[in-house]
Amino acid sequence: MTESFIAAVVQAASLPADPLASAHKAAALIREAAGRDARLIVFPEAFIGGYPKGASFGTPVGMRRPEGREDFRRYHEAAIDLGGPEVTALAEATGETGAFVVIGVIERDGGTVYCTALFFDGAKGLVAKHRKLMPTGAERLIWGFGDGSTLPVLDTPLGRIGAVICWENYMPMMRMAMYDQGITLYCAPTADDRDAWAGSMRHVALEGRCFVLSACQHITRAAYPVDFDCALGDDPATVLLRGGSMIVAPLGDVIAGPDFSGETILYAAIDPAEVVRGKYDFDVTGHYARPDVFNLTVDVRAKRAVSQVGLPAGKE
């Protein structure tokens, strides 16, 4: 069984209009956390590419204003390609430190952007991604929808690591799909900074008998461009996301956070044996399941808009 280790959740502000600067900041924070012996490091939702808190993208019902289209163009420009320099900077930091990192990014794929969690495994670099299945509310105006092909739970020396982003955590079947894969280190990058979020994270830990690591940005209006369209106003001191990052043990005990004080890194000792101890009396996809009554089917096929079948004439 894996020995106890240190995990960290990073509560920091990104640079929403500068993805490469955000990646370099993340790399510095990876090195800082690893310097304090953290072997698993979790960053917030949309840390690279930016969470556009308060923006409307010029879209009243039935209308798309020209300035909103320009806002989207700039947001698309600030998203990242997975072969780009931002991923290289993160891979270098994880390769140097040997840390396993889960980080939220805005991923660009053609004309669409996705809210994505990337998984970096030490010297292996980028090993997997999860695209958010269900953007919440107005997020649906700007983010594409993930599919079942990016729901990984990765087997690592630290445990089985997966990620569920923000309000995906309120999708019972999504959680069940994670539990069924034996997740022990349940990462929850989020932009939800409400007091009630802590209760949700404790529930997930208790339900899944897993460690939950939730990371949210602490960011002010000053981090965004002056002309950023923000319904919360333009006072640079206005806090747009106030943190609340935390780590929870498998019986629902909070072992770090929630913290609302500002930018910080939270640390906690993770004892993998606690997962099995917790499942003694509750294993939601094992001895506590009732497959004779309830059954979940998960479609993990990639869903593409265009599929090419066969070869063009003369190419056989």
Side-chain angles (χ1 to χ4, degrees):
M1 179 175 291
T2 303
E3 296 180 355
S4 296
F5 63 92
I6 301 298
V9 292
V10 174
Q11 178 167 291
S14 68
L15 291 85
D18 193 335
L20 187 55
S22 293
H24 286 311
K25 180 173 182 176
L29 290 165
I30 290 168
R31 293 183 176 98
E32 178 183 343
R36 294 188 57 181
D37 297 325
R39 297 179 62 194
L40 171 62
I41 306 167
V42 181
F43 283 80
E45 180 178 19
F47 190 81
I48 300 175
Y51 188 82
K53 182 68 177 285
S56 68
F57 289 86
T59 306
V61 173
M63 297 174 58
R64 258 72 64 201
R65 295 189 177 116
E67 57 270 29
R69 293 187 183 276
E70 175 59 15
D71 288 342
F72 179 76
R73 185 202 64 77
R74 292 193 296 180
Y75 192 59
H76 182 275
E77 185 177 43
I80 68 168
D81 298 312
L82 297 191
E86 297 85 3
V87 169
T88 299
L90 295 171
E92 288 175 352
T94 55
E96 177 186 316
T97 62
F100 195 105
V101 171
V102 178
I103 185 168
V105 306
I106 302 301
E107 175 198 0
R108 182 172 54 226
D109 188 353
T112 300
V113 297
Y114 297 89
C115 181
T116 298
L118 300 182
F119 300 77
F120 290 84
D121 186 358
K124 297 178 183 178
L126 177 62
V127 291
K129 71 179 181 182
H130 162 55
R131 285 178 172 174
K132 193 173 185 178
L133 288 176
M134 194 64 203
T136 300
E139 293 172 357
R140 295 173 209 171
L141 298 171
I142 53 171
W143 295 343
F145 291 52
D147 61 31
S149 69
T150 67
L151 299 178
V153 172
L154 305 176
D155 195 14
T156 79
L158 303 177
R160 294 185 59 79
I161 301 174
V164 182
I165 303 170
C166 204
W167 277 24
E168 286 185 316
N169 286 281
Y170 294 144
M171 300 171 72
M173 290 178 282
M174 173 75 169
R175 301 198 306 270
M176 194 68 164
M178 294 291 105
Y179 303 150
D180 181 62
Q181 295 184 74
I183 192 168
T184 62
L185 297 162
Y186 185 114
C187 304
T190 190
D192 192 330
D193 60 358
R194 301 171 304 160
D195 291 340
W197 184 253
S200 296
M201 294 299 93
R202 296 186 70 183
H203 171 83
V204 171
L206 191 57
E207 179 180 68
R209 294 302 203 260
C210 52
F211 287 93
V212 173
L213 302 98
S214 178
C216 183
Q217 294 189 52
H218 191 287
I219 190 168
T220 66
R221 176 67 178 81
Y224 294 79
V226 173
D227 60 353
F228 174 65
D229 173 29
C230 184
L232 298 172
D234 294 324
D235 182 348
T238 299
V239 175
L240 299 189
L241 292 170
R242 66 187 185 115
S245 303
M246 61 191 304
I247 302 174
V248 190
L251 292 180
D253 299 315
V254 177
I255 53 178
D259 189 294
F260 298 97
S261 65
E263 293 191 84
T264 188
I265 303 177
L266 304 178
Y267 299 89
I270 303 296
D271 178 4
E274 291 189 35
V275 172
V276 178
R277 293 186 190 112
K279 290 190 176 183
Y280 165 62
D281 56 355
F282 189 85
D283 184 358
V284 70
T285 58
H287 63 76
Y288 218 90
R290 284 294 305 274
D292 55 322
V293 180
F294 307 110
N295 184 266
L296 173 65
T297 299
V298 182
D299 187 344
V300 297
R301 294 171 295 178
K303 301 298 192 297
R304 298 188 60 83
V306 178
S307 298
Q308 296 184 356
V309 180
L311 295 172
K315 300 291 185 180
E316 293 87 351

